[in-house]
């Protein structure tokens, strides 16, 4: 459970017909916390952005299947990614006293994440208009490496699309990224575009290859 939602591992089953065996697959359900359920502006924003994310279909982006409401609780259903995020991987490395992330793995992971982000940045709607998607929360926690070696960018739940830029809700401020990875314009609360994701991706690459944050201060702020 986080500050915005609780996450469940779920089993999706198809409806069986006749004597067929229904298929089953693991998915993830993200359910909005009850105290946020009554915030109409927040719910509208989240569902809009989940539906934007559901249009994305790329091997380096986690797939969102559905967003809606059941029994008064709002949810997002998405692909289950069997792996670990970069932050967890680095923490385990430190426990095992592995001090360096190999350069070829760092570059491979960042290339995969960049491919997914580039796809999202260039995504167009059915009318051909650019959606103007910006992830806004690129960080080690949102880059997952699967046990098969694939790289997935996750949590487009706070992504900003052009369709909602004019409806920015100040109450959603806590959702707009992690301070150590924010571009200057994002930290100032100014308008952001794809470059803010590229900036954050540069910090991730720097940290993986040097073990240090390029803008380290006494605290995050």
């Amino acid at each position: 459970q986080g500050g915005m939602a609780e996450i469940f591992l779920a089993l999706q089953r198809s409806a069986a017909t006749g004597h067929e065996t229904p298929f089953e697959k693991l998915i993830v359900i993200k359910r909005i916390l009850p105290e946020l359920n009554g915030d109409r502006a927040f719910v509208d924003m989240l569902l809009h952005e989940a539906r934007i994310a559901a249009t994305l279909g790329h091997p380096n982006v986690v797939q969102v299947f559905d967003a809606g409401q059941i029994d008064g609780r709002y949810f997002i259903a998405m692909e289950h990614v069997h792996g670990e995020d970069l932050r967890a991987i680095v923490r385990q490395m430190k426990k095992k006293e592995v001090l360096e992330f190999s350069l070829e793995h760092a570059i491979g992971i960042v290339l995969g994440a960049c491919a997914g982000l580039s796809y999202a940045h260039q995504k167009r709607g059915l009318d051909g208009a650019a959606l103007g998607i910006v992830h806004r929360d690129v960080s080690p926690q949102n880059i997952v490496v699967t046990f098969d070696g694939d790289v997935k960018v996750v949590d487009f739940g706070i992504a900003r699309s052009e369709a909602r830029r004019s409806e920015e809700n100040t109450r959603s401020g806590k959702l707009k990224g992690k301070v150590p990875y924010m571009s200057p314009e994002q930290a100032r609360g100014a308008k952001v575009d794809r470059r803010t994701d590229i900036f954050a991706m540069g910090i991730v690459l720097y940290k993986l290859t040097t073990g240090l944050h390029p803008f380290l201060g006494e605290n995050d702020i």
Side-chain angles (χ1 to χ4, degrees):
Q1 180 173 313
M4 179 186 76
E6 50 190 349
I7 294 177
F8 300 89
L9 187 62
L11 199 60
Q12 180 184 8
R13 293 190 179 98
S14 67
T17 57
H19 298 291
E20 294 176 11
T21 302
F23 80 81
E24 296 180 334
K25 70 175 180 178
L26 291 171
I27 63 169
V28 168
I29 301 291
K30 180 180 279 190
R31 191 167 67 175
I32 298 173
L33 295 177
E35 54 266 34
L36 293 173
N37 246 27
D39 187 334
R40 191 68 246 173
F42 170 81
V43 169
D44 285 348
M45 178 198 73
L46 195 77
L47 292 181
H48 168 81
E49 291 163 0
R51 289 175 185 128
I52 289 292
T55 69
L56 303 177
H58 189 276
N60 296 113
V61 175
V62 70
Q63 179 70 55
V64 173
F65 300 130
D66 194 14
Q69 179 192 165
I70 292 179
D71 297 331
R73 297 290 299 275
Y74 292 92
F75 72 92
I76 301 170
M78 64 188 75
E79 171 188 6
H80 172 243
V81 180
H82 187 48
E84 296 286 352
D85 66 63
L86 278 181
R87 181 177 63 172
I89 292 170
V90 171
R91 283 178 174 174
Q92 285 299 315
M93 287 169 59
K94 287 179 179 177
K95 286 181 181 178
K96 296 181 179 295
E97 298 183 350
V98 179
L99 303 179
E100 289 190 4
F101 211 104
S102 69
L103 185 61
E104 62 268 34
H105 289 162
I107 292 172
I109 290 166
V110 169
L111 279 173
C114 283
L117 288 170
S118 179
Y119 164 82
H121 293 158
Q122 296 178 66
K123 181 70 175 173
R124 293 179 178 271
L126 294 176
D127 60 359
L131 291 176
I133 295 172
V134 184
H135 188 289
R136 300 193 308 166
D137 195 15
V138 173
S139 63
Q141 296 97 306
N142 285 332
I143 300 171
V144 174
V145 182
T146 74
F147 292 113
D148 293 325
D150 296 324
V151 177
K152 299 267 188 180
V153 179
V154 304
D155 210 353
F156 272 83
I158 70 159
R160 184 52 61 204
S161 67
E162 203 61 58
R164 291 285 290 213
R165 259 185 234 280
S166 62
E167 302 176 40
E168 200 81 346
N169 186 319
T170 54
R171 292 196 62 187
S172 65
K174 65 179 180 293
L175 302 175
K176 295 180 188 172
K178 297 171 184 67
V179 172
Y181 295 89
M182 285 185 179
S183 63
E185 62 271 23
Q186 188 177 7
R188 288 195 300 266
K191 182 177 178 179
V192 300
D193 58 30
R194 68 178 69 187
R195 290 172 294 181
T196 212
D197 288 345
I198 297 169
F199 185 93
M201 203 67 243
I203 295 177
V204 172
L205 177 60
Y206 190 96
K207 282 197 72 175
L208 286 181
T209 53
T210 68
L212 300 171
H213 194 290
F215 308 111
L216 195 62
E218 290 182 7
N219 55 54
D220 285 355
I221 302 300

